[in-house]
């Protein structure tokens, strides 16, 4: 079975690399003997989708093209799958080795090791060991979210995705249709930046709030991808870190320590309450709701109204 699958993958890769135009599933099925032997259309479709994903995992860039009639075709352009000559000095090789070590605790460890092997084959000097250089440094980026890997692959392959997402203030998750741009780790949490098709705007999603499986969708992106996707800056802005305004809140004396850490001024009111002045930026209302009855918004009025609306939405379920 292993030999049959390897041969099938090789034949599919050769078909996709050898064509000058996108090939439909029907054309691929007629060209590859193993697909002709599939018992049914459903069996072929499952086999083809698995093979296509396996080739992408191996690094083959497969494009999905939809023609004017809505038919979907596939091809792998040679210029997108050709590795140019590589020359690395010792410092550059050391940087790649550190990058590979970052993923040793994640499911990408094998991919990182395989990438270094490909660099060896492309001309990385044999006397340079990227794993040993600067060995005292042991960087780690933990990845616990099941959504990370499918989203990382979707970002790489420019594939739209669908997933269920539960906002911090929502009782139930909502389905989101997203064109994923980039992933970034910020303060110990992974975030996805992309285009939310339902809302017609750029959005940032925290991976720990994605429930269920991430499902890929065919078709092209509908929104233009920014030249620089500033995930960290966007998250910071929604967290109020780039705020140019201030909000005034009341906070119970023994509660809300994260809010106290951000406060620019704190005044004791007595009776178990303090008054805090904190930066006011996008997303502050969602953050304040998490503290429930321990927080009362005093100013500005629009922030108070937003917090009240969110609390009412949570109460309704």
């Amino acid at each position: 079975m292993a030999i049959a699958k390897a041969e099938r993958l090789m034949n599919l890769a050769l078909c996709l690399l050898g064509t000058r135009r996108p090939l439909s599933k029907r054309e691929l099925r007629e060209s590859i003997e193993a697909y002709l032997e599939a018992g049914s259309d459903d069996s072929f479709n499952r086999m083809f989708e698995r093979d296509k994903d396996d080739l992408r995992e191996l690094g083959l860039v497969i494009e999905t093209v939809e023609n004017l009639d809505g038919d979907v075709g596939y091809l792998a352009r040679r210029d997108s799958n050709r590795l140019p000559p590589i020359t690395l000095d010792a410092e550059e090789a050391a940087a790649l080795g550190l990058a590979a070590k970052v993923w040793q605790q994640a499911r990408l460890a094998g991919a990182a090791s395989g990438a270094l092997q490909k660099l060896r084959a492309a001309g990385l000097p044999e006397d340079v060991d990227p794993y040993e250089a600067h060995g005292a440094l042991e960087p780690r980026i933990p990845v616990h979210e099941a959504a990370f890997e499918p989203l990382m692959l979707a970002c790489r392959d420019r594939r739209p995705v669908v997933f269920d997402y539960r906002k911090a203030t929502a009782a139930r998750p909502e389905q989101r249709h997203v064109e994923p741009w980039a992933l970034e780790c910020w303060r110990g949490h992974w975030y996805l930046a992309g285009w939310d098709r339902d809302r017609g705007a750029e959005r940032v999603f925290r991976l720990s709030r994605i429930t269920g499986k991430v499902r890929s969708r065919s078709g092209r992106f509908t929104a233009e991808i920014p030249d620089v996707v500033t995930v960290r800056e966007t998250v910071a802005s929604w967290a109020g870190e780039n705020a140019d305004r201030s909000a005034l809140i009341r906070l119970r004396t023994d509660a809300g320590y994260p809010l106290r850490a951000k406060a620019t001024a704190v005044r004791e009111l007595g009776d178990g309450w303090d008054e805090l002045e904190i930066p006011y930026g996008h997303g502050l209302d969602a953050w304040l709701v998490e503290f429930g009855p321990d927080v009362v918004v005093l100013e500005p009025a629009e922030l108070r109204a937003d917090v009240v609306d969110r609390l009412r939405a949570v109460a309704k379920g």
Side-chain angles (χ1 to χ4, degrees):
M1 291 299 294
I3 296 176
K5 180 176 182 180
E7 182 179 353
R8 192 173 72 238
L9 289 176
M10 180 64 72
N11 289 335
L12 177 58
L14 290 174
C15 283
L16 295 174
L17 287 167
T19 183
R20 294 185 177 181
R21 62 174 180 81
L23 297 176
S24 66
K25 281 187 179 182
R26 178 183 56 80
E27 291 173 314
L28 288 169
R29 186 176 187 181
E30 294 174 351
S31 302
I32 298 174
E33 184 177 358
Y35 290 158
L36 286 173
E37 296 176 354
S40 64
D41 290 342
D42 289 341
S43 178
F44 159 68
N45 286 328
R46 289 194 298 269
M47 186 186 302
F48 173 73
E49 292 299 328
R50 285 196 301 267
D51 290 350
K52 180 157 57 69
D53 290 340
D54 287 342
L55 287 178
R56 280 173 167 154
E57 288 282 354
L58 292 171
L60 190 68
V61 179
I62 302 175
E63 296 185 23
T64 301
V65 181
E66 186 174 346
N67 62 25
L68 295 177
D69 297 329
D71 296 329
V72 176
Y74 306 89
L75 80 161
R77 302 184 192 277
R78 290 182 177 270
D79 55 354
S80 300
N81 289 281
R82 182 182 295 115
L83 191 64
I86 295 176
T87 55
L88 299 173
D89 57 27
E91 291 184 353
E92 291 170 332
L96 288 173
L98 289 174
K101 284 186 176 182
V102 164
W103 302 109
Q104 286 181 359
Q105 293 179 337
R107 291 185 63 185
L108 293 177
S113 177
L116 289 178
Q117 293 298 325
K118 291 179 182 179
L119 290 173
R120 286 284 192 202
L124 181 65
E126 290 294 334
D127 58 345
V128 176
D129 189 344
Y131 284 111
E132 293 300 326
H134 306 295
L137 296 176
E138 291 292 335
R140 292 288 188 272
I141 297 181
V143 178
H144 305 294
E145 294 86 355
F148 176 85
E149 188 169 3
L151 287 176
M152 183 272 297
L153 295 174
C155 290
R156 184 195 68 183
D157 299 334
R158 297 287 187 254
R159 284 181 287 164
V161 294
V162 177
F163 52 78
D164 294 332
Y165 188 76
R166 182 185 57 79
K167 295 191 295 184
T169 57
R172 299 183 183 88
E174 296 179 354
Q175 190 174 86
R176 312 296 281 267
H177 298 78
V178 179
E179 298 172 13
W181 293 342
L183 289 162
E184 187 161 343
C185 187
W186 187 75
R187 295 196 173 181
H189 298 287
W190 280 98
Y191 294 88
L192 169 72
W195 183 260
D196 190 322
R197 288 181 169 179
D198 299 318
R199 288 152 183 80
E202 176 185 353
R203 287 291 186 269
V204 172
F205 305 92
R206 184 164 154 175
L207 265 61
S208 61
R209 292 176 181 159
I210 294 177
T211 62
K213 291 184 177 181
V214 175
R215 303 174 295 282
S216 297
R217 291 292 182 265
S218 61
R220 296 181 178 181
F221 282 11
T222 59
E224 183 178 354
I225 303 175
D227 293 333
V228 179
V229 182
T230 55
V231 184
R232 187 171 303 185
E233 288 79 358
T234 302
V235 175
S237 175
W238 279 91
E241 299 213 352
N242 297 334
D244 55 2
R245 296 180 292 169
S246 294
L248 196 63
I249 65 171
R250 290 178 61 193
L251 181 65
R252 293 189 191 275
T253 303
D254 296 325
Y257 291 102
L259 291 172
R260 296 180 186 277
K262 288 182 175 292
T264 56
V266 179
R267 291 178 289 274
E268 295 184 6
L269 298 178
D271 296 328
W273 290 90
D274 297 327
E275 187 177 85
L276 280 67
E277 189 173 337
I278 59 176
Y280 175 23
H282 293 295
L284 180 59
D285 55 333
W287 194 32
L288 292 177
V289 168
E290 296 182 10
F291 297 93
D294 294 328
V295 170
V296 177
V297 178
L298 302 177
E299 298 176 1
E302 63 267 23
L303 175 61
R304 181 183 177 89
D306 290 341
V307 171
V308 171
D309 288 343
R310 286 181 174 273
L311 288 172
R312 285 174 176 167
V314 173
K316 291 179 180 179

